[in-house]
Amino acid sequence: MTYQSPLLAAPGSIAPGEGVVEQGVPWHWGDPFAEQRTASRGVAVVDRSHREVLKVTGPERLSWLHLVISQHVTELPDGAGTEALVLDSQGHVDTHMVLAHVGEAVYLDTDPGAHATSALPRGGPQTLREYLEAMRFWSKVEIGDVTGDLAILTLLGPDADRILSVLDIALAATPYAVTGFEGGFARRMPWPGRSSVDLAVPRAELADWWRRITDAGARPAGSWAFDALRVESLRPRLGVDTDERTIPHEVNWIGSAAHVAKGCYRGQETVSKVFNVGRPPRRMLLLHLDGSPEVYPETGDPVRLGERIVGRVGSVARHHELGPVALALIKRSTPIDAELLAGDDDRVVQAAIDPDSVPAEGAAPGRMAAARLRG
């Protein structure tokens, strides 16, 4: 049976419909655009309890993890976190995870259903835990699935620290700072938006924590708001903004999740080679969509320049300020000012690349791309 958050039964909670990626948690609480505004200007809380959590313990936890994930973690201090990937042998992304090192344990939380390899010699996918167990050999580590023990709630907005103060949680201001509290931990994130804090709370107390947080003044928000701010922040969602060919360089995971200098992890040769001597064939860009037809492309739909397919649609969101937007993997050769079409069948709309999503000096403001679509 698929996971269903107890908060779906709370008054005002709207469950996700068919086709919504984030299943099992509230999609919104009645006004998704107001939720986004609050998450940008005040503080909101999002139920992300469908995420899966692993726990790695043992005296060799850091040195062993350093060998099997893409990030440099041998010296990750207690009270710090980071992001990391598992890649296949060709450097394609299999799994994305967020780490928290606290209390002599490293916690890895991932999107639900994360897999560490998609094509085993014997066939069939391998879960992240299965992959880690297979790579443990004689290392002094223990790997446990603590999804049943911990649930993730995320605070969004510049007033998040006020909520932490009410909860009596002291957290450093630096990105990926981690602090433990009874039964869980808090981790500061650099996205989505300008201020975000993940709270890993006891799953049995999820409803109680939600009530404490909302009583302290945080507005309930759903996955709709979280994803809209994630898209604005140019942060990919595995399996939505990535496909079987995606390498970390294409989706802004170099540095934040993949280290280019360290060796000894699967796919490292591709990461280093593309970083040092080449350029990825595609790049993830923000598209402004023409919302006048009131139709939207879907994940996996093509992006066309004339008759030629130049990209793939990933996350599609309706943003409270930007309007309808999408992340898309676009061929590097595509002109930034190109007039594109995104979608397929009866859901094709005009699209324009936001120049601010392209690392380029002197880029025009992103609102100009949206203005072009409005005439």
Side-chain angles (χ1 to χ4, degrees):
M1 182 178 177
T2 57
Y3 173 74
Q4 295 289 301
S5 170
L7 297 179
L8 286 170
S13 172
I14 305 299
E18 184 179 353
V20 177
V21 173
E22 307 297 352
Q23 293 289 318
V25 292
W27 187 30
H28 63 85
W29 294 79
D31 192 341
F33 295 116
E35 293 165 25
Q36 291 179 46
R37 286 192 291 271
T38 301
S40 298
R41 305 166 188 171
V43 60
V45 58
V46 180
D47 178 8
R48 302 175 68 219
S49 60
H50 59 327
R51 287 182 66 79
E52 298 175 359
V53 188
L54 300 180
K55 180 180 181 181
V56 181
T57 57
E60 296 179 355
R61 59 189 179 278
L62 292 180
S63 58
W64 172 76
L65 274 171
H66 187 78
L67 299 176
V68 296
I69 61 177
S70 64
Q71 190 58 281
H72 197 300
V73 295
T74 52
E75 298 176 0
L76 186 68
D78 189 355
T82 187
E83 298 179 56
L85 308 170
V86 173
L87 308 176
D88 70 12
S89 59
Q90 303 301 312
H92 302 129
V93 178
D94 272 340
T95 297
H96 172 263
M97 67 198 82
V98 190
L99 279 63
H101 186 201
V102 59
E104 298 186 345
V106 179
Y107 295 89
L108 321 173
D109 59 284
T110 68
D111 292 317
H115 289 81
T117 183
S118 54
L120 293 176
R122 294 182 299 276
Q126 185 182 38
T127 67
L128 177 59
R129 185 182 182 184
E130 289 170 342
Y131 168 72
L132 295 177
E133 289 285 2
M135 299 298 292
R136 188 161 61 100
F137 301 114
W138 298 279
S139 299
K140 296 177 182 178
V141 296
E142 296 294 332
I143 305 159
D145 186 342
V146 294
T147 304
D149 300 324
L150 292 174
I152 305 295
L153 299 174
T154 297
L155 297 175
L156 298 174
D159 289 344
D161 282 347
R162 179 176 60 80
I163 303 300
L164 294 180
S165 178
V166 173
L167 299 174
D168 198 24
I169 296 173
L171 182 63
T174 53
Y176 302 108
V178 177
T179 188
F181 53 79
E182 186 175 356
F185 63 85
R187 176 183 59 215
R188 193 176 299 278
M189 294 292 294
W191 62 273
R194 298 184 184 88
S195 180
S196 174
V197 175
D198 292 334
L199 297 173
V201 305
R203 185 168 294 275
E205 303 171 17
L206 175 62
D208 291 338
W209 274 88
W210 182 267
R211 184 163 45 252
R212 289 174 61 192
I213 292 169
T214 54
D215 285 350
R219 178 174 188 153
S223 62
W224 180 333
F226 183 93
D227 278 342
L229 298 181
R230 174 181 61 79
V231 169
E232 180 190 20
S233 300
L234 296 176
R235 297 289 181 158
R237 206 298 196 172
L238 188 75
V240 178
D241 302 300
T242 66
D243 57 20
E244 69 281 357
R245 298 184 293 118
T246 301
I247 58 177
H249 317 66
E250 297 177 323
V251 291
N252 303 329
W253 273 335
I254 291 297
S256 63
H259 199 279
V260 297
K262 87 179 188 85
C264 302
Y265 65 91
R266 192 171 67 181
Q268 182 271 338
E269 182 178 356
T270 297
V271 169
S272 180
K273 182 178 180 180
V274 174
F275 180 79
N276 289 311
V277 300
R279 295 189 300 177
R282 304 176 296 177
R283 49 191 176 186
M284 186 181 68
L285 303 175
L286 180 68
L287 299 183
H288 292 273
L289 307 175
D290 181 5
S292 58
E294 296 188 0
V295 296
Y296 303 98
E298 296 178 357
T299 298
D301 279 352
V303 178
R304 290 184 170 90
L305 175 58
E307 297 298 319
R308 183 166 61 97
I309 294 178
V310 295
R312 170 195 180 276
V313 174
S315 297
V316 180
R318 284 172 283 174
H319 190 276
H320 70 107
E321 289 184 335
L322 301 178
V325 289
L327 295 178
L329 284 171
I330 304 294
K331 289 183 178 180
R332 179 173 289 275
S333 59
T334 304
I336 301 306
D337 59 355
E339 296 183 0
L340 304 175
L341 294 175
D344 209 2
D345 298 328
D346 59 352
R347 54 182 182 274
V348 178
V349 299
Q350 290 182 301
I353 295 172
D354 186 329
D356 285 348
S357 68
V358 183
E361 188 173 347
R367 298 297 193 278
M368 293 179 64
R372 295 210 312 269
L373 292 177
R374 299 189 187 107

